[in-house]
Amino acid sequence: MMLAGLTIEPLVAFAYLVSGILFILALRGLSNPESSRRGNRLGMLGMLIAVGTTIATHDAVALPRLGAAILIGGAIGFVIARKIAMTAMPQLVAAFHSLVGLAAVVVGIAAFLNPASFGIIDPATGAIHAASRIEMALGVAIGAITFSGSVIAFLKLAGMMSGKPILLPGRHVINIGALLAILFFTYGFFDSQAPMDFWIIVGLSFAIGFLLIIPIGGADMPVVVSMLNSYSGWAAAAMGFTLHNTAMIITGALVGSSGAILSYIMCKAMNRSFLSVIAGGFGAEAASGDGEAKEQRPWKRGSAEDAAFLMKQADSVIIVPGYGMAVSQAQHALREMADLLKKEGVSVKYAIHPVAGRMPGHMNVLLAEANVPYDEVFELEDINSEFAQTDVAFVIGANDVTNPAAKTDKSSPIYGMPILDVANAKTVLFVKRSMGGVGYAGVDNDVFYMDNTMMLLADAKKMVEDIVKSLAH
Amino acid sequence: MDFVAILSIFVLACFVGYYVVWSVTPALHTPLMAVTNAISSVIIVGALIASAEAESEGAQWLGLIGVVLASINIFGGFAVTERMLAMYKKKERK
């Protein structure tokens, strides 16, 4: 293509490079809430450049149908983004991952059906470049695994499928066999470009995505969502390799590393190895572990008035929210409670465990939604030493992340997991629905039975509202 | 571009990604996931090319489907990130 004596190709490649850099800056902006919105805008600009360049360098005849497709998809996405509840973010992200995966598959198949349009045909033989064949096969495989895995993750997170791990007999053998088969057929496709091999790869990859995620329990979903995030990136990168597109390669690498790092952080926060998460089954035997064998230990029950009185007298309160808080939608009442306490001159902080929500950073978003200033919210390592100097630790809807058994009991399923040391506070107020139910990991918590603990047994939202009432007068 | 050039870009981008993502504050990990969703839909470029070229009707339709899917993600991902980031506020100092 020539335009005023200038070849277009270098310009196009340059435009894709610019959008890749803008995507890097978009993530860079997230290092701080203040720069984050500007970062997001830069990301949008990068996308605009990438899409604009592609459309501008192709046949204008296609413009109406491309515009219509973007409009339809965009409208759907926009409405969903507006309507979605913040508690439902994990399933939304899982659903979005599945779309990236499916889009990668669709593009891969399109490239296979019409390789000429992507310029990946070897002029000498008329076949697809050998390297492109491998990249294409890997791209559709990763994309298909991302798609079907994310669909299962979505169903589990949205509660449309039991969060309990579903264990097929011999699943490890099946999974490893399927993975090997994918590699085998990838080689076959590389060798002969046989369409049959290509379709088998697509089919197998869809199947293995389902099989991989089905045995993973609800407690491990934060890792799974992060892992699928990573996969969606690698799928985009593989497509970038196939199509020789720098924007896709840079973005894929960014997203791939992002998901991998988040998975690592989540695994570390639960003291689980990545492999044991992938192997699945965590939480399957939990319910049978405790039961009649346990002796009854004494514990103290408090009322909303007691809690209000205690916190009013305190100098400092640290609130430890967990997913239970989000489930009962107590975050707004909680903020009101914190405001009243601050009026009384009490210092109020929030302590967040990395796995407090259903995905990385989930709890921070939920608190931000309830107008809790982000500089009152602290991460585990920043606040954990402060519990010893704190008058009241107010635990609401969190359990496993406060359980000292993680430090002391080697036989406990959560042993080794970093916890918030609420037990060090002068008084612990523990909001919980009943004494019976236990956390995800299904283990009893010694904090319940400590002398300085007061159990506030009620629905989290109701309890906080009652505390607010008695604080108010 | 030859394979080595592309691979170089990829490897370097992985390093950039590693350092950039570690610098993201944990409080913003959920927006991070939402925005990575949006940007990985740059795969729309592939879908646009497929549907703009006319030689194969099947590839064209697949491309259009890809465009719709990726657009849901792009608009949804950026919009929901924007919505979340707008909620993060600092303490009001009096």
Side-chain angles (χ1 to χ4, degrees):
Chain A
M1 273 181 276
M2 299 286 282
L3 188 83
L6 210 70
T7 42
I8 285 271
E9 277 79 13
L11 282 182
V12 171
F14 184 71
Y16 286 136
L17 179 64
V18 169
S19 50
I21 290 168
L22 287 170
F23 292 150
I24 295 175
L25 293 176
L27 298 199
R28 179 71 194 140
L30 292 173
S31 58
N32 187 313
E34 298 192 18
S35 59
S36 59
R37 294 183 78 181
R38 196 184 61 227
N40 198 35
R41 306 268 160 77
L42 291 177
M44 294 181 198
L45 180 64
M47 191 59 76
L48 194 67
I49 293 177
V51 172
T53 309
T54 315
I55 293 182
T57 51
H58 281 84
D59 207 343
V61 183
L63 200 57
R65 61 167 184 267
L66 296 185
I70 293 177
L71 225 61
I72 293 170
I76 297 173
F78 196 72
V79 170
I80 294 174
R82 286 276 127 167
K83 293 241 163 105
I84 193 83
M86 284 300 140
T87 38
M89 269 319 285
Q91 49 267 42
L92 177 72
V93 165
F96 279 170
H97 287 155
S98 74
L99 294 183
V100 178
L102 195 57
V105 175
V106 164
V107 172
I109 295 177
F112 172 68
L113 294 179
N114 188 9
S117 64
F118 295 94
I120 50 175
I121 286 200
D122 191 340
T125 60
I128 302 174
H129 285 300
S132 300
R133 278 181 234 155
I134 300 185
E135 292 154 3
M136 199 185 265
L138 285 180
V140 290
I142 303 172
I145 293 175
T146 310
F147 170 73
S148 49
S150 300
V151 167
I152 299 291
F154 169 80
L155 291 175
K156 288 198 174 196
L157 285 164
M160 292 179 209
M161 188 175 161
S162 160
K164 286 233 171 68
I166 297 164
L167 303 174
L168 298 172
R171 62 186 195 282
H172 296 314
V173 181
I174 299 176
N175 287 347
I176 291 170
L179 276 178
L180 289 177
I182 289 175
L183 290 179
F184 174 77
F185 287 108
T186 303
Y187 177 77
F189 183 65
F190 158 74
D191 197 43
S192 65
Q193 200 187 320
M196 200 55 190
D197 288 347
F198 184 78
W199 297 117
I200 291 177
I201 294 169
V202 175
L204 271 178
S205 305
F206 276 126
I208 202 171
F210 287 117
L211 293 173
L212 275 176
I213 308 300
I214 277 180
I216 302 180
D220 284 336
M221 276 304 139
V223 184
V224 171
V225 173
S226 316
M227 185 181 84
L228 292 166
N229 184 234
S230 184
Y231 287 1
S232 68
W234 303 131
M239 278 301 134
F241 271 96
T242 318
L243 312 183
H244 296 190
N245 184 299
T246 36
M248 266 191 228
I249 294 174
I250 294 177
T251 316
L254 286 179
V255 179
S257 358
S258 159
I261 290 173
L262 291 176
S263 317
Y264 169 81
I265 293 174
M266 289 296 108
C267 282
K268 215 163 169 233
M270 296 195 291
N271 191 42
R272 312 252 295 118
S273 79
F274 191 65
L275 271 181
S276 71
V277 172
I278 301 297
F282 187 65
E285 61 290 322
S288 56
D290 58 289
E292 63 272 37
K294 207 173 54 201
E295 86 276 36
Q296 288 287 319
R297 287 192 278 171
W299 47 278
K300 274 193 296 247
R301 182 174 188 155
S303 65
E305 289 75 30
D306 300 334
F309 177 78
L310 267 167
M311 286 195 281
K312 226 178 196 171
Q313 303 300 312
D315 286 328
S316 51
V317 173
I318 297 181
I319 298 172
V320 180
Y323 193 68
M325 175 208 76
V327 171
S328 76
Q329 292 288 327
Q331 56 269 44
H332 297 276
L334 195 65
R335 212 251 4 271
E336 237 180 285
M337 182 186 97
D339 286 348
L340 287 171
L341 287 172
K342 278 190 267 179
K343 254 190 217 146
E344 301 280 334
V346 184
S347 128
V348 181
K349 288 175 179 172
Y350 298 79
I352 310 263
H353 192 280
V355 292
R358 283 278 180 91
M359 69 187 284
H362 192 196
M363 197 54 64
N364 302 75
V365 175
L366 295 172
L367 290 178
E369 191 193 16
N371 285 324
V372 173
Y374 63 80
D375 40 3
E376 286 176 9
V377 181
F378 296 87
E379 304 301 317
L380 178 130
E381 58 267 34
D382 297 328
I383 202 167
N384 225 359
S385 58
E386 280 187 39
F387 280 107
Q389 291 96 48
T390 299
D391 295 319
V392 177
F394 188 82
V395 185
I396 174 165
N399 185 5
D400 295 338
V401 298
T402 64
N403 193 341
K407 288 188 167 168
T408 53
D409 181 4
K410 282 212 167 84
S411 65
S412 168
I414 59 169
Y415 180 72
M417 176 170 120
I419 57 156
L420 288 159
D421 296 320
V422 292
N424 292 349
K426 285 199 191 82
T427 308
V428 182
L429 297 174
F430 211 114
V431 182
K432 206 171 175 309
R433 195 179 295 271
S434 70
M435 284 307 278
V438 279
Y440 255 146
V443 277
D444 206 4
N445 191 340
D446 284 337
V447 173
F448 301 160
Y449 312 105
M450 293 189 325
D451 286 340
N452 59 344
T453 301
M454 191 187 270
M455 299 301 294
L456 305 172
L457 298 185
D459 171 70
K461 188 177 178 190
K462 172 117 196 352
M463 176 54 74
V464 177
E465 281 170 349
D466 288 348
I467 294 174
V468 167
K469 259 184 235 147
S470 58
L471 276 175
H473 56 72
Chain B
M1 270 192 287
D2 63 345
F3 182 74
V4 179
I6 297 180
L7 189 68
S8 315
I9 295 173
F10 176 69
V11 173
L12 289 176
C14 284
F15 275 95
V16 172
Y18 180 85
Y19 289 107
V20 168
V21 172
W22 272 117
S23 76
V24 171
T25 169
L28 293 179
H29 276 161
T30 296
L32 170 69
M33 284 193 134
V35 82
T36 52
N37 250 319
I39 63 173
S40 57
S41 302
V42 70
I43 209 158
I44 194 176
V45 167
L48 287 169
I49 297 174
S51 55
E53 302 280 339
E55 290 95 51
S56 152
E57 192 147 337
Q60 227 179 71
W61 278 105
L62 281 172
L64 274 186
I65 294 171
V67 172
V68 173
L69 294 176
S71 302
I72 296 179
N73 245 331
I74 293 171
F75 283 79
F78 280 126
V80 86
T81 308
E82 191 71 17
R83 196 178 137 203
M84 280 192 276
L85 293 177
M87 297 189 303
Y88 283 80
K89 291 193 189 75
K90 246 191 147 128
K91 210 180 324 196
E92 299 147 47
R93 313 259 172 220
K94 284 155 258 176

